[in-house]
Amino acid sequence: MDSRKLKIAVLTGAGVSAESGLSTFRGNNGLWGEYDPQEVASIEGWRREPELVLSFYNGLRKQLAKVKPNAAHLAIAEMEKDFSVTVITQNVDNLHERAGSTWVLHLHGEATKVRPENGVYDRNFSEAEVIDIGYEEVNLGDKAPNGSQLRPHIVFFGEAVPKMERAIDIVDEADIMLIVGTSLNVYPAAGLYRYARADAPVYLIDPEEVAVRDPRITHIRALASRGMEIFLERLRRK
């Protein structure tokens, strides 16, 4: 098969950004140690105390402005030279884009973007309403063009994941699925690998033991950057 036509779907989680110095939401030193996720990352928390939620994401953007893509981000972007690569990320940072990846689907939203609290639809929003603010702050009282409060462009706990169907299609069309830096605990993203074709190999890069027991998965137990080296070595041998 011509490698330039080989399609690789890459699902990434917090572990791919941890080596850049971004705190993970889970783990011993995760941001959840400082914040209750139900207070800062749920739709109920937003409705109850939006100022706290805005402050949390203001802090996250400040942290994001100080970090750079690491070797794992760069290796994933470099694969585009030889393969058709689409990144599906659970991360809300922009490190894949900054590393050079051109096809990135953000399942859980993007920290550097905001949108109106009340969009043009009852429960959904128009992509045209999404505003890229970079690393700027958003505070209570900051309004969208439609006059409603700006909120983080984040999929909160308790909200549907609007790009899930597109992610399923990407995985279904892939010749190889690569999972990097996620322990497959966060649903519905954790179940995406099940949509890979029966003849499509699935690789998982994570230094820890994972709860998923599936013979389809080849587990590379390593940090994201080293794991990408191992994966690419195996890919070149095919």
Side-chain angles (χ1 to χ4, degrees):
M1 180 183 292
D2 182 352
S3 64
R4 290 191 177 276
K5 297 181 180 179
L6 196 71
K7 294 182 179 180
I8 303 179
V10 185
L11 173 65
T12 66
V16 79
S17 294
E19 290 179 71
S20 290
L22 275 181
S23 300
T24 59
F25 286 114
R26 290 168 174 79
N28 294 332
N29 297 314
L31 290 177
W32 289 163
E34 301 176 32
Y35 295 90
D36 180 345
Q38 291 305 316
E39 294 299 322
V40 298
S42 72
I43 188 60
E44 293 82 5
W46 168 254
R47 291 167 178 161
R48 184 168 49 248
E49 199 167 354
E51 191 168 13
L52 176 64
V53 177
L54 290 171
S55 176
F56 173 79
Y57 286 99
N58 286 340
L60 184 58
R61 282 190 291 276
K62 286 181 181 178
Q63 185 185 25
L64 182 54
K66 298 176 182 178
V67 300
K68 296 179 180 180
N70 62 56
H73 294 111
L74 295 171
I76 291 169
E78 282 288 309
M79 288 197 300
E80 290 190 18
K81 291 181 178 179
D82 300 307
F83 308 100
S84 175
V85 180
T86 303
V87 178
I88 305 165
T89 186
Q90 300 173 81
N91 300 335
V92 298
D93 61 61
N94 59 0
L95 293 175
H96 282 299
E97 290 89 344
R98 287 163 61 187
S101 289
T102 56
W103 298 101
V104 183
L105 183 76
H106 285 269
L107 279 181
H108 297 157
E110 299 174 70
T112 56
K113 297 181 180 180
V114 292
R115 69 175 191 262
E117 179 179 31
N118 299 311
V120 294
Y121 306 111
D122 289 341
R123 293 190 177 182
N124 297 316
F125 60 91
S126 166
E127 288 289 345
E129 296 178 296
V130 178
I131 303 168
D132 190 335
I133 60 167
Y135 309 113
E136 299 297 321
E137 289 191 355
V138 174
N139 299 297
L140 205 61
D142 291 342
K143 304 294 185 182
N146 71 356
S148 67
Q149 171 66 43
L150 286 170
R151 58 159 278 178
H153 182 46
I154 299 294
V155 178
F156 291 135
F157 293 127
E159 293 185 310
V161 181
K163 295 184 178 180
M164 192 64 191
E165 289 186 8
R166 177 60 189 134
I168 290 172
D169 289 342
I170 291 167
V171 172
D172 177 66
E173 295 166 2
D175 300 299
I176 296 174
M177 183 170 187
L178 172 62
I179 305 166
V180 189
T182 174
S183 54
L184 297 179
N185 286 323
V186 180
Y187 284 85
L192 270 175
Y193 77 90
R194 297 191 179 97
Y195 294 93
R197 299 196 317 259
D199 62 341
V202 180
Y203 293 88
L204 169 64
I205 297 172
D206 195 276
E208 305 296 334
E209 189 63 47
V210 294
V212 175
R213 295 289 183 273
D214 192 311
R216 300 183 61 189
I217 296 177
T218 299
H219 186 183
I220 299 173
R221 292 196 64 170
L223 293 173
S225 56
R226 175 56 185 151
M228 282 302 302
E229 292 177 2
I230 297 169
F231 170 74
L232 290 173
E233 288 169 3
R234 295 186 182 185
L235 192 60
R236 293 187 190 104
R237 292 200 297 264
K238 287 185 175 294

